[in-house]
Amino acid sequence: VSLFATGLGRPRMMALAGDGTLYITRRGTNDVVALKDKDGDGKSDETKVVAKDLEHVHGIALRGDQLFLALPAKILLAERSAA
């Protein structure tokens, strides 16, 4: 077991895209971040907020280039390229 990323606050759920991007929902910050290992060393080199202001965002799922995000009373859909 090795460390992939730190400083993420309170990560909750994860979904891994086919291109290796790891998407994480975070409690407390109410956002979704994308983590990338650009140099292939097994550690995240880039952390980017891809969705924000999502009160109590919890679940996450991927289908192709679509990102589904579960909130308490609704499901949101975003294109990964736009996120």
Side-chain angles (χ1 to χ4, degrees), residues 2-83:
S2 62
L3 186 63
F4 181 72
T6 61
L8 297 173
R10 296 171 60 195
R12 184 76 172 147
M13 298 293 194
M14 299 181 290
L16 184 62
D19 66 359
T21 303
L22 181 63
Y23 292 89
I24 300 176
T25 63
R26 298 192 299 177
R27 294 171 65 177
T29 53
N30 296 321
D31 62 8
V32 178
V33 294
L35 306 174
K36 292 186 181 185
D37 174 10
K38 291 184 168 187
D39 60 10
D41 67 354
K43 296 180 182 174
S44 175
D45 303 309
E46 178 180 270
T47 302
K48 177 182 175 187
V49 175
V50 296
K52 60 183 180 178
D53 300 324
L54 303 172
E55 189 171 358
H56 305 294
V57 64
H58 181 74
I60 185 168
L62 299 172
R63 180 178 67 188
D65 285 332
Q66 296 177 314
L67 184 64
F68 294 85
L69 303 170
L71 282 69
K74 57 189 168 187
I75 305 291
L76 302 178
L77 174 63
E79 293 296 319
R80 285 184 48 222
S81 59

